[in-house]
């Protein structure tokens, strides 16, 4: 015989009950079935709501009662054929009349005792089991009904009665041994004390009823039918990648259930564990799914030592500490006795080996009562300053990883805590038993989603790292970056095991956020429909989403955006920037950003600050890290200026070449940033700093080729007018270089701690002479390359290459 239990949404509506009938019809053809059912339609909560309304003298209890009545009569109408309906309705109406009389009595006496609560709640299961049994018989099944109150005997601990198992087991065996029906229906949750008073089994009571029956008859299997396809590796509402666990041990199931897995209530397992009866968690709406098998010894073919991740919310952490505790026996005993007297359940305990403190977790709803009772119990020690008043921290949660085989694998806890640390999840307390079946940590409740996803990624996903991008600035470079991400997403997943998602986007007008990732086919529509853009609001949204592996990408030239980097780094959010302002600002700001990056383990990457997509900074960092020393740097660092002077000659106008460079995306929106030399100065400054030299922008010698009128122009339009007016000045510069058979290049130099930038005439035998188009070139003279420098050369401007440089930094940040 198999034992089945249907509850919750499985019997939540007439359509669901019809599905239950189909399942029982199929299974009963090959097995005798003992079936435990819960109250239909979520009636239990409605019964309590009606009772509380009655006790509080609210006439609303009548409305609640009418709702309960309607639910039952509607289900009868949907399930029972016309010819059988009158008899079923008559029985239910009689029960409803008794329920109404009970509620009327509560309204009059203004009191709801635990004893009366059990009597009240029993109506739900008793009416539900009767209706479902009649529906089965109407569908042609051989079905009978047995009131569990006549079989399950308990003490008088109302609302949470303890079962007298020997007599209960004998009652069940005696009844079922003579039962001829293919299906026997039992109401779950309900029971009766030895003196005949009605009792209930408390939370998970219907599961417990099914386990008691399975244990008594040594059933072939206990099936718990719910609305999910088994126990999942994590809460699928919080972790979208979670999947059903194929098989799991009793102990693992208990641990996961204790730490918040709602599918199973821990006491349920004990009766079947004693008899070594396998349990299966099945989905009523998807009966073909295999579900989760729970047994004493299981093998699901997986080598993963971690079976699941779970959490409990609404936790308070209490700490009892003081020098007077060290070496003095009895403190723990008094502490836990005090909590026991208050009937406060302890969820987690940890104690330092110094005995200076004891830390424990309880439900936050019990925190105030616990503090009062403990402070009172240790009133004398507190007055003598031997211990401190109890400390209470709230708004916490407990996360736990569970697995029987974790003890046989090294490094599990290391992987757990390092992954949480990398994602800025602060751990307040840790608990791990000697069995190593469970490793638990107390964290801020706001970090739960991020922590669960982080751990699931580490222990259950195929080495795939989900990276969440927040991009501000979607001009030429930003658009190219999004296009490259869209094109390469499959390659990254398949080859680098990186799942790259853009979660937030912002331009100067709008910003949008989608937690599951913005559709890159329609990102412009999403952005246009977004909220008004504002830097602080964008930052607040990024922080509130609190996603693991978050990366902020700055594709602007904004001072205000650059000033936000520190705030992101402190929140453990990586920063990738092509914006040069932060790294070329005051040296103290540059150093502070480096410090924050190191302190919070938040990558701060800015390869595209110099050379767009060329690996200039990365190469320099590798030289320094390997012990080399930079003697000098010679470079052409402006692709835009190189483009301009490679195309400017006696037959062209300087104004036209500059305008063309801007139109083709080689210059900043304000070309004066490039032509003034300030952009090149910032680049050589960044290289000097990355080589280990303290240098500021005002210390760089700048030799400008622009006229004073161009430098003083009030706007971009005015600037272009000066270029036209001063054409002869620019032609004279070209003519002088041409007469000397030289090329004009805007060169940056760094040597002996000093830097300068300016336009130079480059002779034919120099490496800079044949630099074409928008190319950059950087020559590193170092201790290891004193005469023949290390040279990096290639395209140093353009939206595509700059976007690719940003993309490379994003990949680096993803792998850090």
């Amino acid at each position: 015989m198999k034992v089945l239990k249907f509850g919750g949404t499985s019997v939540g509506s007439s359509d669901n009950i019809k599905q239950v009938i189909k399942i029982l019809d199929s299974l009963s053809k090959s097995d005798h079935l003992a079936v435990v059912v819960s109250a239909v339609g979520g009636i239990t909560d409605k019964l309590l709501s009606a009772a509380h309304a009655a006790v509080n003298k609210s006439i609303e209890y009548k409305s609640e009662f009418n709702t309960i009545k309607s639910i039952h009569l509607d289900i009868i109408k949907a399930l029972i054929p016309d010819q059988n309906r009158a008899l079923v309705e008559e029985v239910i109406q009689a029960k409803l009349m008794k329920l109404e009389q009970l509620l009327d009595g509560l309204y009059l006496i203004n009191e709801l005792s635990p004893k009366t609560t059990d009597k009240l709640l029993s109506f739900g299961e008793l009416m539900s089991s009767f209706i479902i049994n009649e529906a089965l018989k109407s569908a042609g099944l051989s079905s009978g009904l047995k009131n569990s109150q006549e079989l399950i005997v308990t003490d008088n601990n109302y609302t949470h009665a303890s079962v007298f198992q020997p007599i209960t087991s004998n009652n069940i065996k005696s009844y079922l041994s003579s039962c001829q029906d293919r299906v026997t229906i039992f109401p779950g949750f309900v029971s009766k004390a030895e003196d005949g008073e009605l009792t209930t089994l408390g939370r998970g009571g219907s599961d417990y009823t099914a386990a008691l029956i399975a244990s008594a008859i040594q059933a072939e299997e206990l099936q718990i039918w719910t609305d999910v396809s088994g126990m999942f590796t994590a809460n699928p509402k919080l972790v979208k990648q979670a999947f059903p666990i194929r098989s799991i041990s009793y102990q693992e199931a208990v641990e996961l259930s204790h730490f918040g897995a709602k599918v199973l209530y821990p006491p349920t397992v004990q009766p079947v564990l004693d008899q070594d009866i396998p349990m299966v968690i099945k989905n009523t709406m998807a009966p073909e799914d295999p579900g989760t098998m729970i047994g004493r010894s299981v093998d699901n073919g997986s080598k993963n030592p971690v079976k699941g991740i779970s959490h409990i919310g609404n936790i308070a952490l209490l700490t009892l500490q003081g020098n007077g505790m060290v070496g003095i026996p009895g403190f723990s005993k008094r502490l836990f006795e005090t909590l026991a007297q208050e009937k406060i359940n302890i969820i987690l305990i940890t104690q330092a080996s110094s005995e200076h403190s004891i830390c424990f977790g309880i439900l936050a709803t019990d925190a105030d009562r616990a503090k009062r009772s403990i402070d009172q119990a240790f009133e004398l020690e507190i007055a003598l300053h031997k211990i401190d008043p109890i400390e209470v921290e709230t708004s916490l949660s407990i996360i736990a990883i569970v697995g029987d085989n974790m003890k046989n694998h090294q490094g599990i806890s290391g992987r757990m805590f390092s992954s949480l640390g990398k994602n800025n999840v602060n751990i307040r307390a840790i608990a791990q038993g000697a069995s190593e079946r469970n490793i638990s940590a107390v964290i801020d409740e706001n970090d739960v989603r991020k922590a669960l996803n982080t751990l699931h990624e580490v222990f259950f996903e195929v080495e795939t790292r989900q990276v969440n991008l927040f991009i501000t600035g979607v001009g030429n470079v930003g658009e190219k970056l999004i296009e490259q991400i869209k094109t390469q997403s499959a390659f990254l997943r398949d080859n680098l095991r990186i799942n790259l998602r853009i979660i937030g986007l912002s331009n100067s007008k709008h910003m949008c956020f989608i937690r599951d990732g913005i559709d890159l086919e329609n990102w412009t529509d999403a952005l246009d429909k977004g909220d008004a853009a504002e830097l602080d609001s964008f930052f607040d949204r990024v922080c509130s989403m609190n996603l693991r592996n978050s990366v902020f990408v700055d594709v602007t030239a904004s001072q205000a955006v650059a000033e936000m980097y520190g705030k992101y780094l402190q929140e453990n959010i990586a920063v990738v920037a092509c914006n040069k302002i932060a790294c070329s600002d005051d040296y103290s700001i540059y150093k502070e950003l480096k410090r924050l990056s190191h302190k919070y383990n938040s990558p701060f990457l800015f390869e595209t600050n110099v050379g767009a997509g060329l690996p200039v900074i990365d190469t320099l960092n590798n030289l320094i890290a390997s012990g080399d020393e930079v003697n000098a740097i010679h470079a052409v660092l402006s692709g835009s200026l190189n483009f301009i002077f490679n195309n400017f000659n006696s037959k062209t106008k300087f104004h036209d070449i500059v305008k063309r460079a801007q139109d083709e995306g080689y210059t900043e929106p304000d070309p004066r940033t490039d032509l003034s030399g300030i952009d090149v100065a910032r680049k050589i400054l960044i290289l000097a700093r990355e080589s280990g030299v303290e240098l500021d922008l005002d210390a760089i010698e700048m030799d400008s080729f622009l006229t004073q009128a161009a430098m003083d122009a009030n706007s971009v339009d005015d600037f272009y007018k000066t270029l036209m007016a001063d054409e002869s000045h620019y032609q004279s510069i070209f003519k002088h270089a041409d007469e000397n058979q030289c090329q004009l290049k805007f060169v940056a130099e760094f040597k002996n701690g000093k830097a300068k930038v300016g336009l130079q005439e480059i002779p034919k035998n120099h490496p800079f002479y044949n630099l074409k188009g928008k190319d950059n070139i950087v020559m590193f003279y170092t201790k290891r390359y004193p005469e023949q420098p290390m040279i990096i050369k290639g395209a140093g401007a353009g939206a595509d290459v700059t976007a690719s440089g940003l993309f490379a930094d994003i990949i680096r940040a993803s792998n850090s």
Side-chain angles (χ1 to χ4, degrees):
M1 176 177 279
K2 292 181 179 179
V3 180
L4 290 73
K5 178 263 178 176
F6 292 91
T9 56
S10 295
V11 290
S13 67
S14 56
D15 286 340
N16 290 1
I17 296 173
K18 289 176 182 178
Q19 177 67 14
V20 170
I21 294 171
K22 288 181 181 179
I23 293 169
L24 295 178
D25 184 29
S26 173
L27 294 178
S28 64
K29 288 179 170 62
S30 57
D31 288 292
H32 284 273
L33 307 176
V35 181
V36 176
V37 296
S38 298
V40 299
I43 291 300
T44 301
D45 289 340
K46 292 178 174 62
L47 286 167
L48 286 172
S49 178
H52 290 141
V55 168
N56 291 319
K57 294 294 185 183
S58 170
I59 201 67
E60 282 297 314
Y61 84 90
K62 289 286 189 183
S63 175
E64 291 282 3
F65 169 76
N66 288 330
T67 300
I68 293 168
K69 181 178 179 179
S70 296
I71 288 172
H72 285 91
L73 295 179
D74 288 346
I75 288 176
I76 291 171
K77 185 176 181 180
L79 297 178
I80 308 298
D82 293 344
Q83 63 270 24
N84 302 334
R85 192 177 302 153
L87 178 61
V88 177
E89 287 181 344
E90 181 181 345
V91 174
I92 293 300
Q93 287 283 16
K95 293 183 182 296
L96 288 169
M97 183 179 298
K98 290 181 179 180
L99 172 60
E100 186 174 24
Q101 289 170 352
L102 179 58
L103 291 171
D104 290 339
L106 293 175
Y107 183 81
L108 293 174
I109 65 174
N110 194 29
E111 181 184 351
L112 179 61
S113 67
K115 181 177 179 179
T116 305
T117 299
D118 277 355
K119 185 178 295 185
L120 173 84
L121 294 180
S122 66
F123 278 94
E125 267 71 15
L126 294 174
M127 289 190 290
S128 171
S129 57
F130 176 77
I131 293 171
I132 291 173
N133 182 58
E134 292 300 319
L136 288 169
K137 290 195 294 185
S138 296
L141 276 73
S142 170
S143 178
L145 173 65
K146 181 61 177 177
N147 188 346
S148 305
Q149 293 170 325
E150 298 172 6
L151 302 176
I152 301 175
V153 183
T154 70
D155 61 14
N156 291 90
N157 185 18
Y158 298 108
T159 73
H160 201 290
S162 295
V163 175
F164 297 146
Q165 293 212 18
I167 188 172
T168 296
S169 182
N170 287 333
N171 290 342
I172 294 169
K173 280 191 288 187
S174 175
Y175 175 76
L176 286 176
S177 64
S178 60
C179 182
Q180 299 301 311
D181 294 312
R182 299 294 294 181
V183 179
T184 305
I185 301 295
F186 298 88
F189 181 61
V190 297
S191 51
K192 190 179 292 186
E194 283 185 307
D195 60 5
E197 294 291 347
L198 302 184
T199 57
T200 60
L201 302 179
R203 178 189 163 194
S206 291
D207 287 357
Y208 195 29
T209 301
L212 289 169
I213 295 172
S215 174
I217 62 172
Q218 295 185 322
E220 174 189 342
E221 185 177 86
L222 169 60
Q223 299 180 0
I224 305 293
W225 291 79
T226 70
D227 58 351
V228 292
S229 297
M231 299 186 78
F232 277 63
T233 50
N235 185 341
K237 293 180 180 177
L238 299 177
V239 181
K240 291 208 166 184
Q241 291 78 23
F243 54 87
I245 303 168
R246 188 170 176 182
S247 61
I248 191 170
S249 73
Y250 290 122
Q251 291 80 9
E252 289 169 329
V254 169
E255 292 282 0
L256 283 174
S257 299
H258 175 70
F259 282 94
K262 304 299 184 184
V263 174
L264 194 67
Y265 183 53
T268 303
V269 178
Q270 194 59 47
V272 294
L273 188 151
D274 292 340
Q275 299 294 328
D276 202 15
I277 297 168
M279 295 177 62
V280 185
I281 310 297
K282 298 278 285 181
N283 188 344
T284 307
M285 297 300 112
E288 69 284 355
D289 290 352
T292 298
M293 173 69 75
I294 303 172
R296 186 175 297 279
S297 178
V298 296
D299 181 11
N300 60 5
S302 172
K303 296 181 180 179
N304 190 348
V306 178
K307 283 293 183 68
I309 306 164
S310 196
H311 81 285
I312 307 175
N314 194 32
I315 294 295
L317 193 65
L318 282 71
T319 303
L320 183 69
Q321 62 183 357
N323 293 328
M325 294 172 57
V326 179
I328 307 298
F331 273 96
S332 298
K333 176 178 180 292
R334 290 171 59 195
L335 171 64
F336 298 132
E337 280 182 348
T338 301
L339 294 171
Q341 288 168 4
E342 294 291 327
K343 295 185 177 180
I344 294 173
N345 183 43
I346 300 172
I347 301 170
L348 173 145
I349 304 171
T350 182
Q351 180 175 13
S353 59
S354 66
E355 300 182 42
H356 180 266
S357 65
I358 301 174
C359 186
F360 57 94
I362 61 175
L363 290 177
T365 50
D366 295 330
D368 290 341
R369 187 156 49 93
K371 177 174 173 54
R372 283 194 303 271
S373 60
I374 294 170
D375 284 346
Q376 184 177 359
F378 292 93
E379 185 175 8
L380 177 60
E381 288 84 355
I382 293 171
L384 295 174
H385 301 290
K386 290 185 177 181
I387 65 171
D388 302 329
I390 195 85
E391 292 183 8
V392 180
E393 299 176 69
T394 56
S395 301
L396 301 173
S397 291
I398 298 174
I399 56 169
I401 60 173
V402 171
D404 282 340
N405 293 323
M406 293 197 303
K407 62 184 176 182
N408 299 321
H409 289 73
Q410 296 179 344
I412 297 294
S413 57
R415 291 170 65 192
M416 175 182 180
F417 297 126
S418 64
S419 64
L420 293 175
K422 285 180 180 179
N423 282 280
N424 203 31
V425 177
N426 187 37
I427 296 171
R428 298 291 302 114
I430 299 169
Q432 179 177 0
S435 69
E436 294 188 37
R437 184 176 290 123
N438 174 313
I439 305 174
S440 306
V442 181
I443 64 172
D444 189 289
E445 63 183 12
N446 293 323
D447 289 332
V448 167
R449 182 188 290 268
K450 179 164 67 173
L452 291 175
N453 279 275
T454 296
L455 295 176
H456 198 273
E457 183 177 84
V458 169
F459 291 111
F460 290 105
E461 296 169 34
V462 190
E463 297 299 322
T464 298
R465 185 177 178 86
Q466 182 172 291
V467 179
N468 302 294
L469 302 183
F470 299 87
I471 301 175
T472 182
V474 287
N476 290 339
V477 176
E479 285 187 9
K480 293 293 184 182
L481 176 61
I482 293 170
E483 183 64 30
Q484 289 175 14
I485 290 171
K486 182 178 72 172
T487 302
Q488 287 296 105
S489 59
F491 175 87
L492 293 176
R493 280 195 303 272
D494 296 341
N495 294 276
L496 300 184
R497 301 299 183 192
I498 295 174
N499 179 20
L500 208 58
R501 307 186 310 172
I502 299 177
I503 307 299
L505 281 175
S506 177
N507 58 20
S508 59
K509 295 180 180 179
H510 299 102
M511 61 183 187
C512 68
F513 296 85
I514 299 177
R515 176 176 282 275
D516 294 329
I518 294 169
D519 178 5
L520 299 189
E521 295 289 346
N522 302 294
W523 66 267
T524 53
D525 292 339
L527 186 57
D528 289 342
K529 295 173 183 176
D531 300 329
E534 202 276 322
L535 291 179
D536 287 328
S537 295
F538 191 89
F539 171 75
D540 291 341
R541 290 284 293 278
V542 174
C543 292
S544 65
M545 296 183 89
N546 201 20
L547 298 174
R548 69 196 188 281
N549 307 326
S550 292
V551 182
F552 173 68
V553 185
D554 178 11
V555 200
T556 74
S558 166
Q559 175 83 34
V561 175
E563 290 172 353
M564 301 289 291
Y565 293 175
K567 296 175 70 174
Y568 282 101
L569 293 172
Q570 289 181 74
E571 294 297 327
N572 194 237
I573 297 168
V575 173
V576 169
C578 67
N579 186 344
K580 291 178 281 291
I581 292 175
C583 289
S584 60
D585 207 332
D586 188 84
Y587 184 76
S588 62
I589 294 174
Y590 165 82
K591 289 296 289 183
E592 176 64 8
L593 292 175
K594 288 280 191 172
R595 185 189 71 81
L596 291 173
S597 173
H598 179 74
K599 178 179 179 180
Y600 294 99
N601 195 32
S602 309
F604 174 40
L605 302 174
F606 42 90
E607 181 66 72
T608 52
N609 278 197
V610 181
L614 296 177
V616 177
I617 293 176
D618 186 55
T619 301
L620 175 57
N621 288 337
N622 288 335
L623 288 171
I624 300 299
S626 67
D628 206 351
E629 296 176 6
V630 174
N631 298 327
I633 303 172
H634 293 183
V636 175
L637 295 172
S638 175
S640 52
L641 283 171
N642 202 43
F643 176 87
I644 288 168
F645 285 108
N646 279 334
N647 287 280
F648 176 55
N649 54 50
S650 59
K651 297 179 181 179
T652 60
K653 292 185 181 296
F654 193 68
H655 165 278
D656 295 344
I657 298 301
V658 173
K659 191 70 173 68
R660 178 183 161 193
Q662 184 187 27
D663 292 343
E664 294 186 20
Y666 295 138
T667 72
E668 301 288 348
D670 184 345
R672 290 174 294 180
T673 304
D674 297 279
L675 272 68
S676 67
I678 187 69
D679 190 59
V680 175
R682 285 178 176 146
K683 292 176 180 179
I684 194 65
L685 173 65
I686 292 168
L687 292 182
R689 287 175 171 178
E690 288 294 289
S691 67
V693 175
E694 182 175 343
L695 192 67
D696 275 312
L697 191 61
D698 56 11
I700 296 177
E701 180 184 337
M702 297 180 61
D703 183 14
S704 177
F705 64 87
L706 293 175
T707 64
Q708 192 62 45
M711 299 289 286
D712 294 340
N714 293 322
S715 67
V716 174
D717 288 341
D718 289 344
F719 172 73
Y720 275 116
K721 290 176 182 177
T722 70
L723 297 186
M724 295 177 67
D726 297 331
E727 177 66 21
S728 60
H729 166 74
Y730 303 109
Q731 285 292 343
S732 67
I733 294 174
F734 171 77
K735 182 178 179 182
H736 190 275
D738 190 51
E739 288 173 350
N740 291 327
Q741 296 184 324
C742 291
Q743 292 278 357
L744 290 171
K745 304 294 178 186
F746 198 87
V747 178
E749 297 179 351
F750 170 72
K751 188 175 183 181
N752 298 326
K754 296 182 179 180
K756 65 178 181 179
V757 299
L759 195 62
Q760 295 183 16
E761 295 181 358
I762 304 298
K764 286 185 177 181
N765 60 348
H766 195 282
F768 292 173
Y769 184 85
N770 290 314
L771 201 62
K772 301 298 182 183
K774 57 191 177 183
D775 285 359
N776 279 193
I777 186 170
V778 180
M779 300 192 303
F780 289 118
Y781 291 89
T782 73
K783 185 171 66 175
R784 295 174 186 154
Y785 299 88
E787 295 177 1
Q788 294 297 321
M790 176 178 283
I791 298 176
I792 301 168
K793 179 181 176 183
D800 272 326
V801 292
T802 304
S804 70
L806 285 168
F807 203 164
D809 270 351
I810 290 169
I811 301 304
R812 289 190 191 97
S814 303
N815 291 324
S816 63

